[in-house]
């Protein structure tokens, strides 16, 4: 039991009163206290204390309320309720139950993360419960269950900071449960076992004609059901008697169970008959007490089927909230292609940047809070939307903008600046001077990126943080470079980042989001970094140290 101190109750009550013209609202204050750790079971115990506090707050002037709140406002935890997310229909504080249902065919990518983060936001908003249900009842050759993905999915969800019920549910553990309900419905005449070939059935469905299996008596259906366990794959299915006259042919007598000899990574060949997702959810949303389901707008049919099943049992249906698909401009995600390429060794692993998996974003230096804010900003829309990946980068930049800056020179080219004094220069690790300085000794020789080197024209340039020089182009390649000044001159110059030409520089490998690799040298100071540190390479972008070997440092690129 969490004991909420009276000062905390006072803080939330004052905050609420100030927001609403001096009068408190008990419900709203309670909602605040949930985010301070109050549990549903303790509401009763806290009510007398709360009533006292509310009376006290209501009896003082608005002026006094503000004064008191200044002393206590630090006790109000940052509100978990986010702006921009509309309320759930028919949601009651403390009673919302939602579910995340990944199909374990690979790690989660940013697209899957959207639904999960929204689920998390809502269950936090209503102090509800969020379930993690591995939707692993069936796989096929085309859509395989990848055993590793169970762990990868959990890792991704944990990294996002999603709070869910600790007991993870695996649908593959529940197959026999689905059989029980199937038998009940077969006996009551709501399901039938169909021997008809798929093509013939398709034709009948379009014409709205019932097949001969449909009206066999329940005893016969049960006999067929038992036969089904030893029947050939594809030879029998269990269908739901919706209506062969339904206006939508797709809704007519849908398949609820089929035979599969697919070797399941968890249950192996223990089961051969698998329920459809519609059937399993029709049952499970009731058993788990799910109150609200976030669904894609391509799932209207699925909801209708699930509701149909629950209506047979007389169960309540959860509220469905539809969310359109989200395309992220500038990136290409294909989970199945990604998996193929990992298996073929074309991608380096589940965290290869080209997969856009959460692991890959983590390893590039994208912060989970940036992903969360990106998703919340998109909100819930029942149309398909497109968002530029730049919006995510912008949010991430705000979080990591104060990391130290270092120099990385891609394909370094040596230059000599005539007349340049030997210098020992203090360069701030960040322009806001919050991180101290590094000291760099230089001679007349420097290394600059090949790209800058090739473009040197007849004009002045500035080596960033160091000096201004003149470039005098003679013919196509040779140039004469000469020192002008240490102090910046008034003219607007093109900056070039650089390294002192010393043997101390460190070899750098930089993996880009498109899988390409950039190579070059970095300053000696980089040696101090630890794997997982995020820094900025000046004029290149934000990067995260991925691997450290004797020969080189490997960074992954986040964004510029
Ligand atoms: Zn049939």
């Amino acid at each position: 039991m969490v004991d909420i101190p009276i000062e905390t109750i006072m803080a939330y009550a004052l905050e609420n009163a100030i927001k609403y013209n001096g009068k408190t609202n008990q419900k709203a204050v309670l909602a605040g206290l949930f985010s301070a750790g109050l549990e549903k079971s303790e509401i009763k115990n806290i009510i007398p204390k709360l009533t006292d506090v509310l009376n006290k707050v209501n009896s003082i002037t608005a002026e006094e309320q503000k004064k008191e709140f200044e002393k206590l406002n630090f006790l109000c935890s940052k509100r978990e309720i986010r702006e921009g997310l509309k309320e759930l229909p028919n949601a009651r504080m403390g009673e919302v139950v939602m579910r995340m249902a990944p199909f374990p065919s690979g790690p989660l990518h940013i697209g899957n993360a959207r639904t999960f983060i929204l689920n998390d936001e809502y269950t936090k908003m209503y102090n509800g419960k969020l379930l993690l249900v591995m939707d692993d009842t069936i796989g096929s050759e085309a859509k395989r269950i990848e055993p590793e993905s169970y762990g990868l999915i959990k890792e991704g969800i944990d990294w996002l900071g999603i709070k869910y019920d600790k007991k993870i549910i695996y649908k593959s553990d529940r197959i026999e449960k689905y059989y029980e309900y199937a038998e009940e419905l077969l006996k009551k005449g709501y399901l039938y076992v169909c021997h008809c070939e798929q093509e013939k059935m398709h034709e009948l469905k379009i014409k709205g004609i019932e097949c001969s299996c449909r009206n066999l008596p329940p005893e016969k259906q049960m006999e067929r059901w038992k036969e089904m366990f030893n029947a050939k794959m594809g030879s029998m299915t269990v269908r739901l008697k919706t209506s062969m006259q339904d206006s939508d042919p797709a809704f007519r007598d849908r398949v609820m169970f089929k035979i599969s000899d697919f070797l399941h990574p968890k249950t192996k060949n223990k089961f051969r008959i698998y329920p459809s997702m519609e059937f399993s959810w029709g049952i499970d949303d009731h058993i788990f007490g799910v109150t609200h389901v976030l669904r894609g707008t391509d799932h209207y049919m699925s909801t209708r089927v699930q509701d149909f099943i629950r209506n047979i049992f007389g169960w309540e249906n959860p509220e469905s909230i539809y969310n359109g698909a989200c395309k992220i401009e500038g990136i290409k995600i294909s989970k199945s292609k990604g998996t193929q390429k990992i298996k073929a060794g074309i991608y380096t692993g589940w965290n290869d940047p080209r997969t856009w998996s959460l692991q890959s974003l983590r390893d590039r230096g994208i912060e989970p809070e940036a992903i969360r804010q990106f998703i919340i900003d998109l909100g819930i829309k029942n149309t398909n939307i497109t968002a530029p990946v730049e919006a995510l980068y912008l949010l991430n930049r705000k979080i990591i903008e104060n990391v130290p800056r270092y120099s990385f020179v891609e394909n370094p080219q040596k230059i000599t600046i005539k007349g340049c004094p030997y210098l020992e220069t203090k360069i701030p690790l960040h322009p806001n001077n919050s991180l101290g300085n590094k000291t760099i000794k230089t001679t007349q020789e420097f290394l600059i990126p090949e790209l800058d080197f090739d473009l040197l024209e007849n004009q002045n340039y500035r080596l960033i943080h160091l000096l201004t020089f003149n470039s005098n182009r003679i013919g196509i390649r040779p140039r004469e470079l000469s020192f002008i000044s240490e102090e910046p001159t008034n003219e607007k110059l093109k900056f070039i980042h650089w390294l002192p030409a010393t043997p101390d520089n460190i070899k750098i490998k930089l993996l880009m989001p498109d899988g390409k690799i950039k190579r070059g040298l970095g300053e000696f100071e980089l040696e101090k970094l630890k794997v997982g540190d995020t820094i900025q390479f000046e004029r290149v972008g934000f990067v995260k140290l991925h691997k450290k070997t004797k020969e080189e440092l490997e960074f992954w690129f986040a964004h510029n």
Side-chain angles (χ1 to χ4, degrees), residues 11 22 28 81 102 106 206 245 253 305 314 358 392 410 422-423 434 439 457 463 485 532:
I81 298 173
I206 289 175
Q245 274 73 51
D253 289 17
V305 178
L358 294 180
L392 171 66
E410 187 184 357
Y422 285 44
L423 299 168
S434 61
T439 305
E457 297 289 336
L463 289 185
S485 69

Side-chain angles (χ1 to χ4, degrees), residues 194-196 201 211 213:
C194 179
H195 279 203
C196 303
M201 208 50 202
C211 76
C213 321

Side-chain angles (χ1 to χ4, degrees), residues 192-197 200-201 204 210-214 224 237 239:
Y192 64 99
V193 183
C194 179
H195 279 203
C196 303
E197 276 173 20
K200 184 190 154 197
M201 208 50 202
L204 290 176
E210 297 175 358
C211 76
S212 58
C213 321
R214 197 183 203 265
R224 286 184 161 203
T237 55
R239 291 182 180 273

Side-chain angles (χ1 to χ4, degrees), residues 280-298:
S280 56
W281 281 119
I283 303 295
D284 279 345
D285 275 337
H286 166 73
I287 295 182
F288 301 153
V290 172
T291 60
H292 295 78
V293 184
L294 291 183
R295 302 179 196 273
T297 42
D298 52 340

Side-chain angles (χ1 to χ4, degrees), residues 436-535:
N437 299 304
K438 55 189 177 186
T439 305
I440 296 189
K441 284 184 188 173
T442 50
T443 64
Q444 293 188 335
E445 291 184 332
F446 299 89
L447 300 172
I448 64 168
E450 186 177 38
L451 214 62
D452 291 322
F453 181 81
D454 288 344
L455 294 173
L456 287 177
E457 297 289 336
N458 291 324
Q459 64 184 69
N460 294 347
Y461 292 92
R462 181 141 183 96
L463 289 185
I464 195 163
H465 307 303
L466 193 71
L467 58 83
T468 305
F469 69 93
N470 175 262
S471 157
N472 187 10
R473 193 166 185 145
I474 311 160
I476 297 171
R477 270 236 143 183
R479 295 160 183 89
E480 216 171 73
L481 310 176
S482 48
F483 176 75
I484 295 179
S485 69
E486 279 183 64
E487 295 306 312
T489 46
N490 283 332
E491 57 193 327
K492 205 167 177 248
L493 297 178
K494 184 178 167 8
F495 284 103
I496 294 177
H497 61 282
W498 54 274
L499 286 168
T502 78
D504 292 342
N505 294 322
I506 300 173
K507 270 190 190 161
I508 304 286
K509 175 181 171 183
L510 179 57
L511 177 65
M512 302 304 288
D514 61 5
K516 294 203 176 93
I517 286 168
K518 291 185 175 180
R519 289 185 187 277
L521 292 172
E523 60 198 273
F524 182 69
E525 292 264 328
L526 290 166
E527 190 54 44
K528 292 179 193 161
L529 298 180
K530 294 187 296 291
V531 168
D533 283 348
T534 301
I535 58 158

